[in-house]
Amino acid sequence: MRWWGWGDPAHAPALPAHALAFLRETVGVAARPRPPVALERVRLDPPGCSETVLAELRGIVGAQGVRDEHRERVLHAAGKGYLDLLGLRAGEPGGAPDAVVYPASHDQLRAVLELCARSSLAVVPFGGGTSVVGGLAPLRGEHGAVVALDMGRMGAVLDLDVESATVTVQAGIRAPALERHLGARGLTLGHFPQSFEYVSLGGCAATRSAGQASTGYGAIERMVLGLRFAAPVGDIALAAVPASAAGPGLRQLLVGSEGTLGVISELSLRVRPAPRERIYEGVFFESFDAGAQALRALAREHVLPDVARLSDEQETRMSLALAGGGLKGRLGRAYLGLRGYRGGCLAILGFEGAPQELAFRRGRARELVADCGALAVGRSPGEAWLQGRFSGPYLRDELLTQGVMVETLETATQWSNLSRLHRDLTGAIAGALDACGTPGLVMCHVSHVYESGASLYFTFIARQREGDEIGQWRAVKQAACDAILDGGGTLTHHHAIGRDHAPWMAREVGVEGIQALQAVKSQLDPAGIMNPGKLLPFSSRG
């Protein structure tokens, strides 16, 4: 992973000339490119762990399992959120772990947490490094130093129970490695977030991730059947069972705990047969509301595609603009124009499964969306989306180089409220950008669909307010989070709370809800070492 951005360093970020021209005309770009500084120019405070503590850590995980050199600390200084990248690219990440520790087993993990609790070292669990909400910020709270606990050495498949369709893994395993292991046996987990190429499964569970195909396969919390969990005070082991009525859902309390209570070391996950056929196609709707009505109808009849992605008018316009002025792009616009579509919204419907089941579900789905005025435009849009489904973050890096602010946020709400929240949140984001003197484009899509409602995933771009990029971001974040909670949405559908959303958490769950979570934290993490400043309003114990 690039230390200053996303993905494979060999993957050259590129913004086509027509896309750059579109951005220059619509939101504006910097007078000259702003590349990231060189790695050696990233400024860090000297590491603060004492030699005594480092020696004790090495005694637990081995000499190669404790690192405190400059590059290693930079690589673990932040995730991939907007604030993270601003700091990294400028060479001022605002903090870094004093050391990086790599446990290789649950017992080593257990011993590291006990040592950190005794030594007052804050611990930030680190999986794939892909958090976009400040979940990896190396905050130390009242503690003398902070360590990043990298789970990269705990990536084994421990068991595959084919009869029970359950795989048990160490939490540090990366999603592609698990899919390769399952694919060789005709199985799949079906969890494909946009960060798929880098995420760890433990990180997905800790942040309650939802993959792009969650409409069909379910989000990660529905896949977790059992787990092993190390907290500073001790272990929690929950067996893999299909269901349980043994009190409140402790599995669900630990899934989504964001490293603030302890660390997931092992997971037992539900798997499924790998699809024998995939069909991804595009349809156009005259309006976002018409598309939402169609998705609701599919949910009610239980014929939803595995991927259901509906872009609003602005996102559709942006997608067509970035497709360029080539023959394919011109023909696509002419095809829509001949049928009366001067704007409209593109939806991607992706069906996966056994051929006979897929054919039935797809056939009925096509009938229902046609009843809502959908215009089928073939498989090319769906296949193009499938091919580029993990490439968005690379584009973000190039936009930042061009001085363009690009940020995402997401929420979910009920069908009866979806249209209003989409309108109000779009207006709140646009209004905040206008107030900053940087008018922008605000785009949205639905990507996760339920019988009772759906997600709304927003992307917005604007020219950066040079010299006050953080202030610009904070103004938009404040307006957006207030609009979400005022409008009946949730702070996050799948990005988690992290540092960035923590100030609004009390409005999401109430004061009593915060107190209940803090009581659990005080029991499992009495010294308050686990991921300070995340999930809960900041305090030494939460």
Side-chain angles (χ1 to χ4, degrees):
M1 183 88 81
R2 289 187 177 98
W3 64 266
W4 53 264
W6 185 260
D8 183 357
H11 187 292
L15 194 62
H18 67 267
L20 183 58
F22 174 80
L23 291 170
R24 186 177 289 112
E25 293 171 5
T26 53
V27 299
V29 299
R32 61 185 63 86
R34 302 175 185 172
V37 303
L39 177 61
E40 58 270 19
R41 291 184 56 198
V42 177
R43 291 178 288 276
L44 303 180
D45 291 333
C49 287
S50 70
E51 285 302 321
T52 300
V53 169
L54 291 175
E56 289 185 78
L57 288 169
R58 293 186 184 105
I60 296 170
V61 301
Q64 296 303 310
V66 181
R67 312 283 292 273
D68 64 354
E69 61 267 31
H70 183 267
R71 174 180 168 80
E72 195 77 8
R73 294 176 66 208
V74 170
L75 285 169
H76 292 82
K80 302 303 179 184
Y82 185 72
L83 291 185
D84 297 328
L85 297 183
L86 284 181
L88 287 171
R89 292 169 64 94
E92 299 178 354
D98 297 283
V100 183
V101 181
Y102 291 84
S105 69
H106 178 89
D107 289 343
Q108 289 186 5
L109 171 60
R110 154 100 275 115
V112 168
L113 293 185
E114 291 173 354
L115 172 60
C116 290
R118 292 194 306 270
S119 305
S120 190
L121 297 179
V123 177
V124 178
F126 194 100
T130 63
S131 170
V132 294
V133 290
L136 300 176
L139 307 177
R140 63 188 64 193
E142 65 181 11
H143 305 288
V146 56
V147 300
L149 190 71
D150 193 306
M151 299 292 286
R153 292 171 68 191
M154 296 180 63
V157 176
L158 302 176
D159 182 60
L160 178 58
D161 183 344
V162 175
E163 185 176 6
S164 303
T166 303
V167 66
T168 300
V169 299
Q170 290 182 309
I173 192 169
R174 299 295 177 93
L178 179 56
E179 278 299 319
R180 287 193 296 270
H181 183 88
L182 295 174
R185 293 152 182 83
L187 300 168
T188 184
L189 182 65
H191 192 67
F192 299 99
Q194 190 175 55
S195 53
F196 169 79
E197 296 166 306
Y198 294 95
V199 292
S200 69
L201 268 300
C204 288
T207 56
R208 204 174 287 276
S209 168
Q212 292 171 335
S214 74
T215 297
Y217 290 93
I220 196 73
E221 70 263 22
R222 292 180 57 190
M223 301 176 181
V224 177
L225 304 178
L227 55 82
R228 193 177 185 189
F229 188 87
V233 300
D235 294 345
I236 298 174
L238 301 174
V241 293
S244 173
L250 190 52
R251 289 168 185 78
Q252 292 303 303
L253 178 64
L254 301 179
V255 171
S257 57
E258 300 189 31
T260 63
L261 306 178
V263 183
I264 298 169
S265 65
E266 297 175 12
L267 288 162
S268 293
L269 300 159
R270 177 263 293 154
V271 297
R272 292 184 179 180
R276 290 162 52 196
E277 186 174 3
R278 288 186 174 92
I279 298 177
Y280 280 71
E281 56 196 343
V283 296
F284 256 84
F285 295 95
E286 288 188 293
S287 68
F288 187 71
D289 287 347
Q293 179 184 351
L295 295 182
R296 184 182 63 186
L298 298 180
R300 293 290 170 84
E301 286 212 18
H302 303 284
V303 290
L304 277 165
D306 300 279
V307 171
R309 183 183 180 96
L310 169 67
S311 295
D312 68 4
E313 290 86 347
Q314 189 69 277
E315 186 170 281
T316 300
R317 172 179 169 244
M318 178 76 165
S319 298
L320 290 175
L322 295 181
L327 178 61
K328 185 176 180 180
R330 292 198 303 272
L331 288 177
R333 282 184 283 275
Y335 177 76
L336 296 171
L338 288 172
R339 286 152 180 79
Y341 284 72
R342 301 303 177 191
C345 297
L346 174 65
I348 302 298
L349 307 180
F351 298 88
E352 302 188 0
Q356 185 174 357
E357 181 273 338
L358 185 152
F360 168 78
R361 187 160 44 105
R362 178 174 174 249
R364 181 57 182 146
R366 287 166 66 91
E367 293 175 357
L368 289 172
V369 299
D371 289 343
C372 294
L375 173 66
V377 291
R379 298 191 186 185
S380 292
E383 291 170 355
W385 177 85
L386 188 62
Q387 183 177 3
R389 66 195 298 186
F390 306 132
S391 62
Y394 289 101
L395 179 60
R396 179 183 61 173
D397 288 342
E398 183 61 16
L399 291 175
L400 289 172
T401 296
Q402 297 297 332
V404 176
M405 175 191 194
V406 54
E407 177 64 305
T408 62
L409 58 89
E410 34 73 53
T411 183
T413 192
Q414 293 184 303
W415 288 118
S416 58
N417 190 48
L418 193 78
S419 178
R420 182 173 67 87
L421 185 58
H422 172 251
R423 180 187 66 248
D424 291 352
L425 188 47
T426 298
I429 296 170
L433 290 171
D434 288 345
C436 289
T438 55
L441 297 178
V442 183
M443 300 162 280
C444 179
H445 64 261
V446 168
S447 54
H448 308 272
V449 181
Y450 308 90
E451 287 188 56
S452 60
S455 67
L456 291 171
Y457 190 109
F458 284 82
T459 302
F460 52 94
I461 61 175
R463 178 178 50 82
Q464 286 181 325
R465 189 161 68 180
E466 189 170 1
D468 189 29
E469 292 89 350
I470 294 177
Q472 178 191 31
W473 179 88
R474 291 195 188 284
V476 181
K477 192 70 173 178
Q478 178 79 49
C481 289
D482 287 346
I484 286 171
L485 294 173
D486 290 344
T490 177
L491 274 174
T492 174
H493 173 265
H494 61 271
H495 281 172
I497 295 295
R499 169 202 60 200
D500 295 353
H501 294 141
W504 290 270
M505 187 62 172
R507 285 192 63 190
E508 172 87 12
V509 303
V511 173
E512 290 77 11
I514 291 291
Q515 291 173 343
L517 291 173
Q518 287 175 327
V520 175
K521 182 170 176 65
S522 294
Q523 175 62 38
L524 296 179
D525 177 27
I529 65 169
M530 297 306 305
N531 216 6
K534 321 301 167 33
L535 183 62
L536 298 169
F538 196 94
S539 73
S540 62
R541 298 297 181 266

